[in-house]
Amino acid sequence: MVKAYAQEYTYKHPWERVTSASWKKFADPENKRTLSHILEVDTLNHKLDPSSGKLYTTLAITVNAPGPWFIRRIIRQDVCHCVESTVVDAKARSMQLSTHNISLEKFIEVEEKIRYDPHPENPDGWTICRQETSIRIKPLSALASMAEKVEQRCAEKFVQNSAKGREVMERICKYLEAESGGISA
């Protein structure tokens, strides 16, 4: 069984500001309390393709293992390692992130896709964020007998963490807006 959900959120900020905030969300020490489930972020690769102008990055992200505490006891692991791949096409004003776990995969597969684009109703002032997440417990794992409940609990935690991420992004966007207002004044 797969638990999947999609969310859409409108940032009342231009695409350039929102994507700048996305790059800063892990670096700002003030966000560590809000994003406490994220333990470590390392850049594995970044490349700018000169012919297309696209920026490609790959991050290694270590998070607290998803799900309730008793699941971490069953799987005997407290952390989960993930890889996030990002493609930024500044010409098309599109930023796409794809994240999946590379540990715990014999128990659970999690894939998250996020896309930032100018909002169709106000392309120069707003940004639409579309997020899709799928969570799948492996049928032959130690968690299979309670798969549906575990997937639901994981999905609930992901929704909570997504809200925290939006809170951080909004805070950084407001900071960037104030910063740019101060420079132009």
Side-chain angles (χ1 to χ4, degrees):
M1 180 173 177
V2 175
K3 179 72 178 172
Y5 69 92
Q7 299 183 92
E8 205 170 271
Y9 183 77
T10 299
Y11 290 96
K12 304 275 172 117
H13 300 279
W15 179 84
E16 292 78 7
R17 186 177 302 142
V18 172
T19 54
S20 292
S22 180
W23 293 114
K24 295 174 184 280
K25 70 183 172 207
F26 297 132
D28 187 345
E30 192 174 315
N31 299 332
K32 288 193 186 285
R33 269 190 317 277
T34 307
L35 302 176
S36 60
H37 61 288
I38 298 173
L39 304 174
E40 189 172 346
V41 178
D42 295 297
T43 301
L44 300 177
N45 186 28
H46 63 276
K47 179 182 98 172
L48 179 62
D49 182 337
S51 61
S52 69
K54 292 180 182 178
L55 174 65
Y56 297 88
T57 65
T58 306
L59 301 178
I61 302 173
T62 303
V63 299
N64 287 318
W69 64 269
F70 63 88
I71 297 301
R72 293 191 290 277
R73 259 216 189 136
I74 291 170
I75 62 177
R76 295 187 179 152
Q77 201 164 347
D78 288 335
V79 299
C80 180
H81 301 284
C82 305
V83 172
E84 179 178 277
S85 300
T86 304
V87 179
V88 179
D89 185 343
K91 292 177 190 172
R93 295 176 78 203
S94 176
M95 180 178 194
Q96 298 178 50
L97 299 89
S98 178
T99 308
H100 66 278
N101 61 302
I102 57 170
S103 67
L104 306 179
E105 63 273 316
K106 68 182 179 182
F107 299 106
I108 187 170
E109 288 178 352
V110 178
E111 184 175 21
E112 178 183 54
K113 293 179 186 238
I114 299 175
R115 183 178 174 118
Y116 298 102
D117 294 297
H119 196 287
E121 292 176 23
N122 186 355
D124 293 325
W126 298 350
T127 304
I128 191 158
C129 172
R130 293 181 178 98
Q131 176 187 14
E132 297 175 7
T133 304
S134 66
I135 302 162
R136 179 177 169 260
I137 300 297
K138 296 289 186 89
L140 299 176
S141 76
L143 306 177
S145 64
M146 53 187 148
E148 192 171 340
K149 286 185 180 194
V150 172
E151 287 168 348
Q152 182 61 38
R153 290 286 301 271
C154 288
E156 290 167 2
K157 194 68 172 166
F158 274 85
V159 169
Q160 291 171 0
N161 288 341
S162 294
K164 291 177 183 180
R166 288 191 301 273
E167 176 188 325
V168 165
M169 292 281 290
E170 284 286 359
R171 184 171 50 240
I172 295 171
C173 284
K174 288 177 182 162
Y175 171 80
L176 292 171
E177 181 179 31
E179 189 177 71
S180 67
I183 291 172
S184 62

